[in-house]
Amino acid sequence: MAHDRVPGDEERHTGSLVTNRVLLTLLVAALLGVVLLPFASMAPNRLMSGQAVGVTAAMLSWQWLALAGLAGILTACALSRPFPAG
């Protein structure tokens, strides 16, 4: 009974490691945005343009751990097999 197949399972199984490509793509895009894009602008006053500050400069160590944990959970979800319906 442990090896029962769900109808249509042969078409869905491609043999690749990634089972949810959309989630993995969104995860990579979000991580690239967090690391590479500016988060805030530091200026002496509102009239002068400031310097862009990234999230990497603004985050504390526990926030980095939380971000890494969330990224790990989302990566595991993207790589895990879906549960069969029923």
Side-chain angles (χ1 to χ4, degrees):
M1 273 281 205
H3 298 289
D4 289 342
R5 289 276 197 208
V6 176
D9 193 31
E10 293 81 20
E11 292 86 25
R12 287 188 301 171
H13 183 65
T14 59
S16 69
L17 182 64
V18 178
T19 57
N20 192 339
R21 286 181 257 157
V22 174
L23 180 62
L24 189 64
T25 303
L26 290 174
L27 175 66
V28 169
L31 287 176
L32 285 175
V34 164
V35 173
L36 298 177
L37 295 176
F39 173 68
S41 179
M42 296 291 287
N45 59 37
R46 292 184 183 186
L47 299 176
M48 298 180 65
S49 62
Q51 284 187 312
V53 177
V55 173
T56 55
M59 289 178 69
L60 303 173
S61 61
W62 68 269
Q63 293 168 333
W64 275 109
L65 289 173
L67 182 65
L70 182 61
I73 290 170
L74 290 175
T75 302
C77 289
L79 299 178
S80 67
R81 294 219 178 273
F83 292 110

